């Protein structure tokens, strides 16, 4: 029947039109979905790149050379391996670094000192954090290469190693400087290349302990700050017009007069055993302690002396490992509390 055929053709055309419309709608929806996904991926990649750049920018002092790359390296749970050719102080530094990351991140980072590391880097099979000795580098120079598979650090010895570790720690969560629980933090390092070395050998922080007495623990905290921002030296002013903070066997008379001027406060002096403990801590962290003295005029008048006896200076020198330096009262104005440490770190590194 012509009418029946016409209706069938009409129904088929209508069904085809509906099917076509449905596929078109699905196509448009898929296109929108893919566009949204690609946008999210691009935004995420941009945000991740920005985050990596921000992490690198917060390093103080600013490294001489940085090159940002794609991706990041997961340090949480990563194996720490070091070249056995590195010195004992470097190996100790790296053991402490791996132990700290393990403690704070909540996941163990095994440490080992093994040979053949250079060949694993060359053939592309290297994984984890690897420290290699490079005898061609400057004493405090370091080079860090981070990819999603590994973090390779090259130094010639301890001073370069501690500077490299200081840089790596600055790129990690702030909790790495604590002993608290940082397991929820993001323990990754941005993929990059960093090469750096200082422009001057001595980079000092100063603590005026005569003007403001600081406990040994407070002085250790200043040593920690020096390590974090790659200073080489912490200077300690141990005397002023009416203060003498070191109470050794020989120089005890000066300390007793200082205690008198300090209202009888016998806790405002350092004993040789306390200084030795501080020096041991500083030495282990690669920081030199330098004692400084301002001429104690009132104490000299009280003792009817015209100058500090040589044996007093020798006693301080033997305890600190270097003779004290005589400075003016103006030196005390550079106390760490009066300084912008970040600006100072940048200035003395160049």
């Amino acid at each position: 029947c012509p009418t029946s055929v016409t209706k069938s053709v009409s129904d088929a055309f209508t069904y085809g039109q509906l099917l076509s419309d449905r596929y078109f709608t699905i196509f448009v929806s898929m296109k929108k979905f893919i566009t949204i996904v690609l946008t999210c991926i691009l935004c995420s990649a941009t945000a991740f790149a920005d985050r990596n750049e921000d992490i690198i920018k917060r390093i103080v002092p600013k490294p001489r050379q940085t090159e940002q790359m794609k991706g990041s390296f997961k340090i949480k749970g990563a194996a720490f391996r070091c070249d056995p050719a590195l010195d004992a102080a470097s190996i100790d530094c790296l053991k402490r670094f791996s132990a700290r990351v393990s403690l704070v991140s909540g996941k163990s980072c095994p440490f080992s000192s093994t040979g053949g590391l250079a060949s694993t880097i060359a053939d592309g099979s290297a994984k984890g954090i690897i420290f290699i000795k490079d005898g061609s580098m400057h004493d405090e120079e370091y080079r860090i290469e981070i990819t999603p598979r590994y973090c390779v650090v090259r130094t010639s010895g301890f001073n370069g190693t501690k500077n490299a570790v200081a840089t790596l720690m600055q790129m990690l969560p702030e909790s790495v400087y604590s002993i608290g629980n940082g397991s929820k933090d993001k323990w990754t390092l941005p993929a990059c290349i960093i090469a750096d070395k200082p422009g001057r050998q001595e980079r000092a922080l100063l603590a005026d302990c005569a003007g403001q007495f600081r406990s040994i623990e407070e002085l250790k905290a200043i040593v920690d700050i020096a390590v974090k921002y790659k200073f080489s030296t912490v200077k300690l002013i141990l005397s002023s017009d009416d203060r003498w903070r070191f109470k050794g066997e020989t120089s005890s008379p000066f300390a007793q007069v200082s205690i008198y001027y300090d209202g009888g406060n016998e806790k405002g002096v350092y004993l040789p055993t306390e200084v030795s403990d501080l020096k041991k801590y500083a030495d282990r962290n690669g920081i030199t302690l330098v004692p400084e003295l301002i001429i104690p005029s009132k104490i000299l008048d009280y003792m009817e002396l015209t100058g500090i006896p040589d044996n007093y200076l020798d006693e301080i020198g033997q305890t600190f490992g270097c003779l004290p330096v005589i400075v003016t009262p103006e030196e005390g104005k550079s106390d760490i509390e009066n300084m912008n440490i970040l600006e100072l770190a940048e200035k003395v590194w160049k």
Side-chain angles (χ1 to χ4, degrees):
C1 177
T3 304
S4 177
V5 171
T6 302
K7 186 176 185 304
S8 297
V9 171
S10 177
D11 289 346
F13 178 80
T14 302
Y15 177 74
Q17 183 66 41
L18 290 171
L19 193 63
S20 176
D21 290 345
R22 180 175 296 176
Y23 280 134
F24 180 75
T25 302
I26 292 172
F27 172 75
V28 171
S29 298
M30 285 297 294
K31 187 177 180 181
K32 287 181 178 179
F33 175 73
I34 292 170
T35 301
I36 292 170
V37 170
L38 289 174
T39 301
C40 289
I41 291 172
L42 288 171
C43 289
S44 297
T46 302
F48 190 79
D50 290 343
R51 177 181 174 274
N52 281 358
E53 185 178 0
D54 289 341
I55 291 173
I56 295 170
K57 282 183 176 179
R58 75 186 186 207
I59 300 170
V60 178
K62 182 181 179 181
R64 292 177 181 272
Q65 178 187 341
T66 59
E67 179 183 339
Q68 185 180 335
M69 299 187 293
K70 293 182 180 179
S72 63
F73 171 75
K74 184 180 179 181
I75 192 173
K76 186 175 182 177
F80 280 66
R81 294 185 291 169
C82 78
D83 189 340
L86 283 168
D87 54 278
S90 290
I91 294 174
D92 174 65
C93 176
L94 299 177
K95 282 182 179 179
R96 288 184 286 131
F97 181 32
S98 66
R100 176 165 288 277
V101 174
S102 298
L103 172 67
V104 184
S105 72
K107 192 168 184 179
S108 177
C109 296
F111 176 87
S112 63
S113 177
T114 56
L117 296 177
S119 61
T120 64
I121 297 170
D123 64 25
S125 63
K127 291 183 179 180
I129 299 182
I130 300 172
F131 279 76
I132 295 286
K133 180 179 175 63
D134 185 341
S136 68
M137 301 182 81
H138 179 273
D139 177 49
E140 293 195 82
E141 185 179 5
Y142 66 91
R143 186 180 188 278
I144 301 172
E145 181 183 359
I146 303 172
T147 74
R149 287 175 56 85
Y150 59 70
C151 169
V152 174
V153 182
R154 299 177 186 275
T155 72
S156 64
F158 176 51
N159 288 327
T161 299
K162 71 181 180 69
N163 286 337
V165 169
T167 293
L168 291 173
M169 287 184 67
Q170 286 190 40
M171 291 194 287
L172 291 173
E174 191 66 24
S175 57
V176 75
Y177 296 104
S178 71
I179 55 174
N181 185 355
S183 58
K184 294 183 179 180
D185 293 331
K186 193 173 183 67
W187 290 87
T188 59
L189 291 167
C192 63
I193 293 175
I194 298 173
D196 201 14
K197 63 180 179 180
R200 63 180 76 179
Q201 187 173 1
E202 183 180 278
R203 306 174 302 281
L205 283 177
L206 183 137
D208 181 6
C209 299
Q212 178 185 341
F213 182 80
R214 293 172 167 96
S215 69
I216 294 298
E217 290 306 312
E218 288 175 314
L219 293 179
K220 286 182 179 180
I222 292 175
V223 169
D224 291 340
I225 293 172
V227 172
K228 180 177 181 178
Y229 296 117
K230 306 183 185 79
F231 288 91
S232 64
T233 306
V234 172
K235 297 179 179 180
L236 305 176
I237 296 181
L238 300 176
S239 68
S240 64
D241 192 38
D242 58 357
R243 294 290 186 274
W244 184 270
R245 298 298 191 188
F246 182 77
K247 187 181 181 182
E249 184 176 347
T250 302
S251 59
S252 180
F254 271 25
Q256 292 299 334
V257 176
S258 177
I259 291 170
Y260 166 75
Y261 280 126
D262 200 14
N265 178 22
E266 296 190 1
K267 295 183 178 180
V269 293
Y270 301 112
L271 301 176
T273 53
E274 294 174 318
V275 172
S276 295
D277 176 55
L278 175 63
K279 185 178 183 304
K280 183 179 179 181
Y281 185 82
D283 287 346
R284 191 182 188 193
N285 286 281
I287 300 298
T288 301
L289 295 181
V290 176
E292 294 188 340
L293 301 174
I294 295 171
I295 299 298
S297 303
K298 286 188 177 180
I299 295 176
L300 290 175
D301 289 343
Y302 187 93
M303 298 288 294
E304 297 182 350
L305 295 172
T306 57
I308 304 171
D310 288 342
N311 57 345
Y312 286 24
L313 301 176
D314 291 340
E315 184 178 45
I316 294 174
Q318 289 170 8
T319 307
F320 278 88
C322 63
L323 286 172
V325 179
I326 306 299
V327 298
T328 67
E330 288 294 312
E331 181 82 0
K333 294 180 180 179
S334 298
D335 181 81
I336 186 172
E337 288 194 0
N338 301 328
M339 305 299 293
N340 184 317
I341 296 174
L342 302 187
E343 289 183 1
L344 180 61
E346 294 285 1
K347 179 180 178 181
V348 299
W349 183 261
K350 296 177 180 178

